[in-house]
Amino acid sequence: MTLQKPTALIAEDEPLLREALVRHLSVAWPALRIVAEARNGRQAVDMYEAYQPDICFLDVQMPGLSGVEAAQHIGRRAHLVFVTAFDSYAVQAFAQGALDYLVKPVEPKRLADTVERLKERLQTARPLPDPEQLLARIAAQLRVSPDITPRLRWLRASVGQAIRLIAVDDVDFLLAAEKYTHVCWREKDGRPQEAVIRTPLKELVEQLDPDLFKQVHRSAVINLNAVSHVVRGDNETAKIHLKGRADTLPVSRNYLHLFRQM
């Protein structure tokens, strides 16, 4: 591997996330040269063979071949960093091995830690760990386990002429609107924001963390961290009042039990 001019491949099927990782790496590691950007696992393998980069950043879930399957092909010939939207289950699986990983959306500080580890490995020419058994185990888990459906970490919404990446943790609530969903979230400074995305609420619900997001009405899902208090009404209904917002959300009879123990 080259010490002076480290090279990397990035494999990510979401263009915005791929561009974001390139951008973050240009800040965290200006000397790193991105020699290839792949849109799927098969392309990642082909590009690895063509460019032989020192480091491969691989999205775990990609069309064709998964990032883990691509990594099995690459083996010990490159330093492997997985970029994953998986919950702690899979993260723990990676953490138990010698492989590095990043959780989406990639945080600059966490990326900086990974960069430092990669630099150390390159500078010391430390032998690459043998990932064969660990990768085989993770690949098997990806194939058979129903519990590793990745949790939604971000939403992509059009706001004017811009495309926003909204961290799901920042979302206060979601409202169904026929084939669309209104997303109501907060900026880092606390300012409430709204946007519309072209994904039905029903599809989003299946990907949200069930410990954090609760459906409270057939057309409304609430982030429990956004709840100020709940006021009961007539006929076994209630209204949710939100922190720092004038909005209230209805709680239908079928979901009122969620707040009886709170």
Side-chain angles (χ1 to χ4, degrees):
M1 291 189 180
T2 305
L3 294 178
Q4 299 301 320
K5 298 179 180 178
T7 56
L9 172 152
I10 294 176
E12 165 64 68
D13 62 327
E14 285 286 345
L16 285 176
L17 293 181
R18 193 169 63 244
E19 293 166 9
L21 184 54
V22 171
R23 189 168 60 251
H24 290 323
L25 280 169
S26 70
V27 175
W29 198 353
L32 182 68
R33 193 156 56 92
I34 309 299
V35 294
E37 297 180 33
R39 298 188 301 272
N40 56 60
R42 180 67 64 189
Q43 195 175 57
V45 170
D46 292 342
M47 286 185 167
Y48 174 79
E49 295 299 342
Y51 294 97
Q52 300 280 309
D54 301 316
I55 303 159
C56 293
F57 293 88
L58 302 171
D59 181 21
V60 171
Q61 271 209 327
M62 290 187 290
L65 291 178
S66 72
V68 175
E69 290 169 322
Q72 285 180 299
H73 178 89
I74 296 167
R76 303 179 68 180
R77 293 181 292 168
H79 293 282
L80 303 174
V81 179
F82 289 101
V83 185
T84 176
F86 286 153
D87 58 18
S88 58
Y89 171 82
V91 167
Q92 288 173 7
F94 291 124
Q96 289 168 6
L99 308 176
D100 208 344
Y101 65 92
L102 296 164
V103 175
K104 298 179 185 178
V106 175
E107 296 288 341
K109 184 176 184 310
R110 178 67 177 82
L111 178 61
D113 293 339
T114 294
V115 165
E116 289 306 312
R117 281 193 289 273
L118 289 168
K119 285 180 178 178
E120 182 180 352
R121 290 178 193 170
L122 291 171
Q123 289 170 355
T124 59
R126 185 186 306 173
L128 293 175
D130 184 358
E132 184 176 352
Q133 291 187 352
L134 178 62
L135 289 175
R137 178 160 57 85
I138 295 174
Q141 291 170 344
L142 288 172
R143 286 193 294 270
V144 304
S145 175
D147 298 327
I148 57 173
T149 300
R151 296 295 176 207
L152 196 62
R153 299 274 185 176
W154 53 272
L155 298 169
R156 187 172 57 187
S158 296
V159 180
Q161 298 299 313
I163 297 177
R164 290 290 306 268
L165 283 177
I166 303 167
V168 169
D169 288 346
D170 294 336
V171 172
D172 286 342
F173 60 92
L174 302 163
L175 294 176
E178 297 184 350
K179 296 180 181 179
Y180 303 97
T181 299
H182 284 281
V183 180
C184 300
W185 82 97
R186 290 177 186 276
E187 298 285 11
K188 294 303 181 187
D189 60 5
R191 285 181 296 121
Q193 300 287 339
E194 293 186 19
V196 175
I197 61 175
R198 295 183 178 182
T199 304
L201 182 63
K202 183 179 179 181
E203 291 184 19
L204 293 174
V205 168
E206 296 172 353
Q207 303 174 67
L208 295 171
D209 182 348
D211 293 331
L212 186 60
F213 287 89
K214 298 293 184 185
Q215 185 146 18
V216 294
H217 189 274
R218 61 182 173 79
S219 63
V221 170
I222 183 75
N223 181 339
L224 293 178
N225 288 330
V227 175
S228 168
H229 59 282
V230 180
V231 178
R232 291 193 176 190
D234 298 329
N235 299 320
E236 289 292 303
T237 61
K239 283 188 177 180
I240 295 174
H241 293 253
L242 303 165
K243 298 174 183 174
R245 283 182 179 270
D247 312 76
T248 60
L249 294 180
V251 182
S252 64
R253 184 180 304 175
N254 291 339
Y255 300 101
L256 191 60
H257 67 279
L258 295 173
F259 301 98
R260 284 179 177 145
Q261 296 178 348
M262 298 182 69

